[in-house]
Amino acid sequence: QVQLVESGGGLVQPGGSLRLSCAVSGRSFNGYAMGWFRQAPGKEREFVAAISWTYDSPYYGDSAGGRFTIARDTAKNMVYLNMNRLKPEDTAVYYCAAKSAGWSGLSVGAEYDYWGQGTQVTVSS
């Protein structure tokens, strides 16, 4: 059974930092792309970043804004999203996802095969 379990969300002040973690299990993710998406209340789901599990190649959406960094640790079966200089508009539920079919369509949520349950990030003073 494939599982993606996010952690690390919480309340942070504007300008602060958080590191989200995603523990993956249940199958080999070789050849997969691992992505982070977010969804704010009343808004559509938004692509944040993705990384190749095999080749460690990152790809960022506009929402990452040069402030977020995605990484993965294949030995620990973990995917991370390091978020710096957080803004109130970064408030959302953040989801980890896994995509099996190649490097195209990375920003399209429907292309992903597996999803975590999400972790809430709130940026507020």
Side-chain angles (χ1 to χ4, degrees):
Q1 179 182 0
V2 174
Q3 285 192 311
L4 284 68
V5 181
E6 303 95 334
S7 61
L11 174 64
V12 62
Q13 291 189 342
S17 299
L18 277 177
R19 185 176 81 160
L20 304 184
S21 300
C22 176
V24 301
S25 63
R27 64 160 298 130
S28 168
F29 288 91
N30 285 332
Y32 274 63
M34 311 303 291
W36 285 97
F37 289 76
R38 69 185 186 185
Q39 188 165 21
K43 295 188 177 181
E44 292 187 355
R45 184 171 56 194
E46 182 178 35
F47 172 72
V48 178
I51 190 166
S52 166
W53 184 261
T54 307
Y55 298 111
D56 196 18
S57 302
Y59 174 74
Y60 295 97
D62 292 341
S63 61
R67 298 175 292 120
F68 296 176
T69 303
I70 190 171
R72 94 282 187 264
D73 186 330
T74 57
K76 296 181 178 179
N77 285 339
M78 297 292 293
V79 183
Y80 304 101
L81 184 67
N82 296 294
M83 305 187 295
N84 298 309
R85 304 192 306 280
L86 283 161
K87 304 175 181 180
E89 51 263 44
D90 294 319
T91 295
V93 177
Y94 284 72
Y95 297 92
C96 177
K99 176 182 179 303
S100 62
W103 199 239
S104 63
L106 288 176
S107 62
V108 179
E111 293 284 331
Y112 286 74
D113 303 282
Y114 304 106
W115 291 83
Q117 83 290 347
T119 186
Q120 175 71 47
V121 172
T122 302
V123 185
S124 175
S125 55

